Structure formats: C-alpha cells, structure tokens
C-alpha cells in the first residue's frame, strides 16, 4: 500500500524518507514477523512533520473502517497518524492472508479433484473386472456347448439345445431347479481348474482291499447229472436283470438236480429288444465252463417240446414265487412238479432266490456264473475294446484280468496296434445316470417339472405299470417329498454333476456317461457338458457305422455301457438300487485288486443337502457332500442277506489273504 502517494503534507523532498520509513518497511516480507508492540512504539516515537497545504489535484484517501479519528473535528483524515499507519498495515496483512487462504483453497480443490479422479479410475477398473468375470460365467453357463470327441478320424459332438427339449410324445421337460447351484459350481471349477484334485479321488483304501483275491472259480464237488428233469427260464427286464435271473437259474438247476436249458429273454414293451441269450453271451463258453457244476443244453428234447406246459401246470410265474424265496421253497413246491412232468417253465423269473441262508457251494456257484461264465459275444467284445481304446486315448493299457474278461483277446490286438502310437496317461471317470423314463415313473418322485411332468409320468405308469397305478388309487403312498427325504429318489443329472464337482473332479476330467437315454432328452445333460467339456458317451466315441449293428438292441447297447463303466479308473453311481451299477461295482471289487474305486452316494444324506440348494454356500455344500460320500468309501465284507453280485467280498466268492 503506497501511503506516501496519499499524504498531502509531504513535500517532494521528504517523500523518499517517508517511503523508506513506512512504505519499504511495510512491503518488506522479512519484517512481517516483528512483534506488534515494537512496531507500534517505533511509530509513535517518530518526529512529527509540519503540515502543508496539499495541491489542488492531489488524491484523497477514502474512509477506512480501521480509522478511529474523530470525523467531526476534521473532514479529512491525518495520514501521518499512527493509527492510520497501523490500519494500513493491518489491511495489507489481511490481504496477504486472504491470498494465502485462496492458494490453500485452490490446492485443496486440486487435491480433491485428483482424489476423485483416482477413485473413479479404481471404480472403473473394478467394474471392468466384474464385467469380464460375468462374461466368463455366461460362457460357462451358455446353452450351446458342443464338446467334441474323435473317433476313427471322425469327430462328433453332443448337441445341446437351449431351454427345453421335447420328449418322444412332444411334452416339454424342465431342466431342473438347480440353476443357482450350477452357477456356483461353474464358478468354483473355473477358479480351481489348476488346483490339484483331492488325493483319494481316484483311489480305493488299497491295503484292506488288496487282501481280497478272486477265487469263485475254485470247485470241490462232483458234476451234477441233472436227472430230475428240465428247467426252462424266460427272464424279464433289461440286460442286467436278465443276468441276475440267469445266475439264479443256474443255482436252482443244481439245487433241484435238473438240466438247465439255455435261458431265453422275454420281450419287454419298455426295452423293446428282441435279443436272446446267444446275441449277448457266448453260449458254448457258458455251457462248457459250468459243465462241472450243472448240466446245460441248448433246447428241450423233442418229446417235451410238444407239451402244453400251462395245461399240465408246469408254468410258474413271478406271482407264484415271492421275492428272494429260500431254497426250501423250491424243494417243497417246485421239485414235485419237476418230478411229475419232467419240465418246469419259470416265466418272468427275476430276483426270486434268497442270498441267505444258502449252502456255501451254491453261493459260490452263483459268483462263478456271474464273474466267469457269462462272457460277451465277439461282436460286443470287439466294439467294447474299441470303446476302451478311445476312452483311454490310445494309452498302452496293460490289459489285466478284468480287460481280458470284458473284451477277451481283443485287448491284446489293440495293445499291439497302440505300440507305434504316442502314449499318454489318460484316466477317465464313468458315470451311470439311471434316469430313464421307466425309472423316473416307477420311483413316484417329482423332479421339478411341475404339473406337466406329473401328467407325463402318470400316463406312462398307466401303460407300463398298471399295478402301480392301481396301488396309488387304493393305498395312501408316501408323498414325493417324503420319498426324497428318505433317499428313495434317483439322482437327477443336475444333482449328479453337482456331486462330482463338490468331490473335486476338475473341468479337465474325462467323463464317460452311460445310460444316455435320459428322461427329458439331451437337454438334461446341459449342466454336465457346461461343467465338464470332456464329457462323452458311446454315441460320441463310436461312429454310426460302428454302432449300426447294435441299433434297436438296447441290451447289446447296455453291454457296451457295462464295459465302459466296469473298466473305468473311477466309477460313480447315482442310484444304488440300479442293477447295472450294482453289477459294475461288484466286478470292480472282484477284479480290481483294490485299485478301482467306486463312488456310492448316500442318497438320504445328499437329499438333506440338496434341499438347501437355494441358500447353501458352495464351500459348505462342498464339505458336506465330501463327508457324505467319504463315509461310504470303505472296504467291507458282504452284509447279511445282501447281493453277492454287488458285495463279492465274502468267503464264497473271494479269498481273504492275511
């Protein structure tokens, strides 16, 4: 502030001195820290100057809010007054502080803008990450995955359609109620695809399992002459039910000292297969291998072929024999008919022979028939060996006793072909989905399809299970919810794949699915193919030309599934009551030497877990499923009255080596 320019009392000669005294001292920044008291005293003790008339055009200072002079005494303020000088200094200080405050405000604004920009950048980066993650999840859950598998130079894929798929009658089937859990599983598999699998995933408790060795082929009795007559058996059901019926018929022929005619298979409106024994199993091997045990012929003598067996009372149906009847029943009720007429025809003979109590040698004969006498025909063995070769991706497999039983000499032929090809380890997991429409309808369970699903299944029951339909109308049966809570419902494809994901199988797992005629069509495999891209079926691995000889023969196709599941590095069943799963797990125990694990889910335990599918977190779901399955993965001897086909670890079938 130039005070000298506004002071009319100074002459031109005195102005430099006054500027030196006031102006310079005020403008000098180094003297701003001087104390207020010393500054005021120095100004008050200065020598006053005389007043002079100011020029006519000299400038006049305006009123200041810092002036304290008495305005009534003089209309002009004395600029030489100490108070006037003090007010000027204070005014300069205020302006300087205002500038500093303005600079600080500008700095704060700049810093605030910088922080806002950084925050916006972080938010954008996070949003981009979430967007990429969301896109990846959409790709994993997309409804158009086409996993490819190579076979004989041809590539094929499992075609999956979006949404719903029409069944044979044009009814739409919903894919299930596990959309949330499938999304969680997809996310978990995507994050953990490079993590190692649990150590026990592909292993069986080896030490206790390795103590058991196959020994059902050992005999210590004399051949049976079969002099009491002939037994005819017409077995019903699918390939696996027929197999059980054949083994029971062999034991029954020995029990009654009779001759067994090679069994025949009853045509089923469900399976629609006209295959007979000789189309699936080797008749000559069957007859020759069991000749030390029981007499077997291919047909009745001519003198008995013309008999009206029904008229003479020699036809016995399942309704005449209760399930798992004891040997004493046959000795008391069937042997007299056999001795009288010379022949008995068991029509629809199924699981009609008890497992306990039964003599040791008869039980051993049962195992001998199942694990040794029934071998597939060369046509099935050759295609089955080709299936195993492609499942193992040309790996030079050693061809153990199980392979030799399943595919015979063809395992050696394919092994020789593979010697010139690159070998790479390739183990695979087999999954049997027992979710055909007959199983679904017979279970009386519900699977998320609502009223439309109930109508479809009820119509199927009326045609194929009229007795069950009548029972529903006359008896109060458990509700679908009660059946599920008790573990009496088969696992759906969605539940099966969630179980595998929770156990720790990664997206790289080679997965072979048997039982491909899934209720609802291939749309129910969406969850499987999305989570496990390397999923294949026999229809993928074998060309149309290779499968053509088996088309329209469901039992022969089931034999190929049986081979693929039995020889797998690990096998997972979805329904413990399934005959195929029971037979497969038994063969893996009998021939596996403790190296072929089987996953047997406790459906009751799993049902309680799946009921929380809308709220449960994946980590909790994973822990609970692993615990439920781990408890079933133990080595045990056959429980009393349980099937020797599924539990062959017993003294009649296997020998325990201490």
């Amino acid at each position: 502030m130039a005070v000298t320019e506004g002071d009319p009392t100074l002459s031109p000669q005195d102005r430099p001195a006054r500027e030196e005294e006031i102006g310079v001292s005020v403008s000098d920044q180094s003297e701003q820290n001087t104390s207020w008291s010393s500054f005021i005293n120095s100004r008050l003790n200065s020598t006053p100057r005389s007043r002079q008339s100011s020029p006519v055009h000299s400038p006049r200072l305006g009123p200041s809010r810092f002036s304290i002079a008495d305005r009534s005494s003089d209309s002009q303020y004395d600029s030489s007054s100490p108070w006037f000088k003090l007010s000027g200094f204070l005014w300069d200080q205020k302006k300087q502080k205002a500038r500093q405050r303005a600079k600080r405000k500008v700095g704060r604004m700049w810093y605030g803008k910088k922080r806002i920009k950084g925050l916006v950048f972080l938010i954008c980066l996070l949003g981009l990450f979430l967007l990429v993650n969301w896109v990846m999840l959409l790709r994993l859950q997309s409804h158009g995955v086409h996993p490819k598998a190579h076979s004989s130079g041809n590539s094929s894929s499992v075609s999956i359609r979006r949404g719903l798929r029409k069944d044979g009658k044009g009814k739409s089937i919903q894919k299930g109620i596990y959309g949330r859990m499938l999304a969680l599983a997809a996310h978990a598999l995507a994050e953990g695809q490079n993590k190692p699998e649990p150590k026990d995933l592909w292993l069986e408790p080896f030490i206790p399992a390795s103590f058991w060795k196959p020994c059902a082929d050992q005999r210590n009795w004399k051949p049976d002459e079969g002099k009491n007559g002939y037994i005819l058996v017409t077995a019903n059901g699918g390939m696996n039910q027929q197999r059980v019926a054949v083994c029971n018929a062999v034991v029954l022929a020995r029990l009654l000292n009779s001759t067994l005619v090679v069994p025949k298979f009853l045509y089923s409106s469900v399976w629609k297969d006209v295959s007979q024994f000789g189309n699936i199993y080797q008749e000559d091997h069957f007859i020759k291998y069991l000749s030390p045990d029981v007499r077997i012929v291919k047909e009745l003598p001519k003198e008995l072929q013309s008999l009206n067996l029904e008229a003479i009372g020699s036809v016995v149906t399942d309704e005449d024999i209760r399930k798992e009847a004891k040997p004493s029943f046959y000795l008391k009720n069937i042997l007299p008919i056999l001795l009288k007429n010379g022949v008995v025809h068991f029509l629809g003979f199924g699981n009609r022979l008890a497992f306990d109590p039964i003599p040791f040698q008869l039980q051993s004969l049962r195992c001998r028939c199942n694990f040794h006498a029934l071998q597939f025909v060369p046509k099935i063995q050759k295609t089955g060996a080709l299936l195993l070769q492609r499942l193992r991706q040309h790996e030079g497999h050693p061809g153990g006793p199980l392979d030799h039983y399943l595919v015979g000499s063809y395992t050696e032929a394919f092994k020789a072909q593979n010697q010139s090809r690159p070998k790479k380890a390739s183990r695979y997991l087999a999954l049997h989905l027992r979710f055909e429409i007959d199983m679904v309808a017979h279970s009386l369970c519900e699977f998320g399809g609502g009223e439309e699903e109930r109508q479809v299944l009820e119509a199927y029951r009326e045609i194929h299970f009229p007795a069950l339909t009548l029972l529903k109308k006359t008896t109060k049966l458990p509700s679908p919810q009660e059946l599920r809570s008790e573990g009496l419902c088969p696992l759906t494809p969605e539940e099966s794949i969630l179980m595998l994901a929770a156990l720790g199988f990664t997206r790289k797992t080679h997965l072979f699915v048997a039982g491909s005629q899934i209720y609802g069509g291939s749309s129910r495999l969406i969850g499987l193919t999305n989570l496990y891209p390397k999923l294949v079926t026999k229809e993928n691995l074998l060309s149309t030309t290779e499968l053509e000889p088996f088309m329209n023969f469901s039992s022969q196709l089931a034999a190929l599934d049986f081979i693929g599941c039995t020889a797998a590095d690990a096998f997972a069943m979805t329904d413990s009551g399934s005959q195929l799963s029971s037979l497969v797990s038994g063969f893996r125990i009998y021939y596996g030497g403790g190296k072929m694990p089987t996953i047997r889910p406790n459906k009751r335990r799993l049902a309680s877990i799946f009921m929380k599918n809308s709220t449960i977190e994946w980590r909790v779901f994973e822990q609970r499923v692993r615990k439920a399955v781990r408890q079933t993965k133990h080595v045990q001897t056959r429980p009393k009255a349980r099937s020797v086909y599924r539990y062959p670890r017993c003294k009649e079938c296997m020998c325990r080596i201490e």
Side-chain angles (χ1 to χ4, degrees):
M1 179 177 180
V3 180
T4 56
E5 293 181 4
D7 191 352
T9 61
L10 292 180
S11 63
Q13 293 81 7
D14 295 333
R15 286 180 182 175
R18 180 55 62 110
E19 290 176 355
E20 181 181 358
E21 180 181 358
I22 298 178
V24 177
S25 63
V26 172
S27 61
D28 193 353
Q29 295 295 327
S30 62
E31 294 186 7
Q32 290 181 6
N33 297 326
T34 307
S35 65
W36 288 104
S37 58
S38 61
F39 180 80
I40 293 173
N41 291 331
S42 64
R43 293 301 181 267
L44 292 176
N45 296 327
S46 62
T47 305
R49 297 184 181 269
S50 61
R51 261 186 202 180
Q52 293 183 358
S53 299
S54 61
V56 176
H57 301 290
S58 62
R60 183 184 301 271
L61 283 174
S64 172
R65 61 190 178 99
F66 297 104
S67 301
I68 58 176
D70 186 4
R71 298 186 182 185
S72 62
S73 61
D74 194 351
S75 61
Q76 296 182 356
Y77 306 117
D78 188 359
S79 60
S80 62
S81 170
W83 294 108
F84 186 84
K85 297 172 184 176
L86 177 60
S87 64
F89 174 76
L90 294 175
W91 176 252
D92 287 345
Q93 290 291 320
K94 182 178 181 180
K95 288 175 63 178
Q96 188 172 356
K97 290 181 179 180
R99 292 192 200 100
Q100 293 175 354
R101 283 196 299 268
K103 289 182 180 179
R104 286 195 297 269
K105 185 176 181 180
V106 171
R108 285 195 297 268
M109 291 178 61
W110 177 84
Y111 181 70
K113 291 180 179 179
K114 186 175 181 181
R115 290 184 61 186
I116 292 174
K117 289 181 179 179
L119 184 61
V120 170
F121 175 76
L122 289 177
I123 293 175
C124 293
L125 186 62
L126 180 61
L128 180 62
F129 172 77
L130 294 176
L131 178 62
V132 172
N133 195 29
W134 179 70
V135 171
M136 292 297 294
L137 283 177
L138 285 182
R139 292 186 63 184
L140 289 173
Q141 302 171 47
S142 63
H143 292 194
V145 180
H146 301 279
K148 297 181 179 180
H150 300 281
S151 58
S152 302
N154 299 326
S155 62
S156 56
S157 63
V158 182
S159 295
I160 305 298
R161 295 182 180 179
R162 290 179 176 268
L164 305 178
R165 172 124 181 183
K166 302 290 183 179
D167 65 3
K169 298 183 180 181
K171 299 292 184 180
S172 60
I173 305 300
Q174 296 186 14
K175 69 175 184 178
I177 55 175
Y178 294 102
R180 172 181 174 272
M181 292 301 299
L182 290 173
L184 292 177
H187 185 70
L189 290 179
E191 285 189 338
Q193 58 183 346
N194 295 323
K195 295 181 181 179
E197 295 174 327
K199 294 181 179 180
D200 62 342
L201 204 56
W202 300 87
L203 301 175
E204 196 175 8
F206 175 73
I207 295 179
S210 62
F211 290 153
W212 294 91
K213 302 295 181 183
C215 60
D217 55 338
Q218 300 177 6
R219 305 174 176 91
N220 58 2
W221 59 7
K222 295 180 180 180
D224 192 5
E225 298 178 358
K227 59 183 180 180
N228 287 340
Y230 292 86
I231 289 181
L232 294 173
V233 173
T234 303
N236 57 358
M239 184 201 74
N240 304 289
Q241 290 85 354
Q242 293 167 350
R243 187 185 189 100
V244 171
V246 169
C247 294
N248 289 341
V250 169
V251 174
L252 186 60
R254 175 75 191 205
L255 174 67
L256 301 179
N257 191 17
S258 58
T259 298
L260 176 67
V261 180
V262 172
K264 295 185 180 298
F265 297 152
L266 188 66
Y267 177 82
S268 171
S269 60
V270 175
W271 300 104
K272 299 179 180 179
D273 187 0
V274 297
S275 298
Q276 290 301 317
F277 187 95
N279 302 122
I280 303 174
Y281 303 107
Q282 300 178 33
E283 284 188 353
D284 292 338
H285 174 79
F286 176 70
I287 295 173
K288 181 179 179 180
Y289 190 85
L290 293 176
S291 59
D293 303 300
V294 62
R295 182 170 179 257
I296 304 175
V297 297
K298 292 187 178 181
E299 58 183 12
L300 280 174
K302 292 184 178 180
E303 63 270 18
L304 296 178
Q305 292 180 5
S306 59
L307 290 178
N308 187 339
L309 300 182
E310 187 174 2
I312 63 176
S314 287
V315 176
V316 180
T317 66
D318 281 355
E319 295 180 359
D320 301 320
I321 309 173
R322 68 182 182 88
K323 187 177 180 181
E324 297 187 2
K326 297 180 180 180
S328 58
F329 171 86
Y330 293 97
L331 293 172
K332 179 180 179 181
N333 298 281
I334 305 301
L335 183 58
I337 301 175
L338 185 63
L339 294 174
K340 176 184 177 181
N341 299 326
V343 59
V344 172
H345 183 196
F346 291 98
L347 182 62
F349 188 67
N351 190 14
R352 291 299 188 266
L353 182 62
F355 291 102
D356 286 309
I358 192 171
F360 177 91
Q361 290 292 348
L362 291 179
Q363 194 81 287
S364 180
L365 176 58
R366 216 176 200 168
C367 294
R368 187 154 53 250
C369 176
N370 181 51
F371 296 114
H372 295 277
L374 293 175
Q375 291 191 352
F376 296 120
V377 295
K379 179 180 73 171
I380 295 177
Q381 286 186 339
K382 181 178 180 180
T383 307
L386 185 63
L387 179 66
L388 293 183
Q389 179 194 31
R390 291 171 183 169
L391 281 169
R392 294 165 178 166
Q393 294 189 345
H394 311 296
E395 179 189 6
H397 202 270
L402 180 57
D403 276 12
H404 283 284
Y405 171 80
L406 294 173
V407 298
S409 60
Y410 291 99
T411 183
E412 297 295 335
F414 284 114
K415 181 180 178 181
Q417 293 179 14
N418 292 338
Q419 288 179 353
S420 60
R421 298 177 180 176
K423 301 175 183 178
K424 50 184 178 181
S426 175
R427 57 188 181 185
Y428 71 94
L429 164 70
L431 172 68
H432 178 226
L433 282 177
R434 185 65 174 99
F435 204 69
E436 294 87 356
I437 187 170
D438 65 311
M439 179 66 176
V440 172
H442 195 272
S443 69
L444 297 178
C445 299
E446 294 182 354
F447 302 94
E451 183 60 29
E452 187 175 7
E453 178 188 88
R454 285 190 286 270
Q455 293 178 3
V456 171
L457 297 181
E458 190 59 41
Y460 187 90
R461 293 187 196 101
E462 292 178 357
I463 298 174
H464 300 283
F465 304 117
L468 185 59
T469 301
L470 179 62
L471 185 64
K472 283 189 63 179
K473 295 179 180 179
T474 58
T475 308
K476 184 178 180 181
L477 300 177
S479 66
Q481 293 76 16
E482 292 173 334
L483 292 172
R484 184 169 296 279
S485 63
E486 291 297 322
L488 299 177
C489 298
L491 294 183
T492 67
E494 295 84 5
E495 291 171 340
S496 303
I497 206 66
L498 287 172
M499 177 187 69
L500 296 180
L503 289 177
F505 289 101
T506 67
R507 284 177 57 83
K508 299 178 181 179
T509 301
H510 293 264
L511 181 60
F512 173 72
V513 176
S516 56
Q517 294 181 347
I518 304 301
Y519 169 62
S522 58
S523 63
R524 298 213 69 138
L525 294 178
I526 289 177
L528 280 73
T529 53
N530 285 346
L531 270 63
Y532 292 97
K534 295 184 179 181
L535 179 148
V536 294
T537 65
K538 58 182 179 295
E539 289 80 11
N540 300 133
L541 295 174
L542 300 174
S543 66
T544 304
T545 303
E546 292 163 344
L547 279 175
E548 196 275 333
F550 306 97
M551 300 308 295
N552 301 320
F553 300 103
S554 60
S555 293
Q556 297 180 43
L557 290 172
L560 296 177
D561 279 337
F562 182 88
I563 293 173
C565 290
T566 306
D569 297 276
F571 172 65
M573 63 175 68
T574 59
D575 181 25
S576 57
S578 166
Q579 285 285 8
L580 185 141
S581 294
S582 297
L583 291 173
V584 166
S585 63
F587 269 89
R588 294 171 63 81
I589 291 174
Y590 190 81
Y591 285 107
K595 298 179 181 179
M596 305 186 77
T598 296
I599 298 171
R600 304 176 181 87
N602 185 326
K603 292 191 295 181
R604 186 174 183 179
R605 292 283 305 275
L606 289 181
S608 64
I609 301 173
F610 284 124
M611 288 175 65
K612 300 178 175 62
N613 70 86
S614 60
T615 57
I616 193 170
E617 294 299 327
W618 178 255
R619 184 60 60 185
V620 177
F621 175 80
E622 189 178 55
Q623 293 172 351
R624 294 188 62 185
V625 168
R626 290 186 182 184
K627 182 179 180 180
V629 173
R630 191 181 299 116
Q631 291 176 348
T632 66
K633 197 175 182 179
H634 54 271
V635 176
Q636 63 174 358
T637 57
R638 182 181 71 89
K640 186 178 180 180
R642 301 300 295 272
S643 169
V644 293
Y645 310 120
R646 182 177 179 180
Y647 300 101
R649 289 193 183 104
C650 58
K651 60 183 180 179
E652 297 89 349
C653 297
M654 302 182 72
C655 301
R656 182 175 175 84
I657 302 174
E658 299 295 343

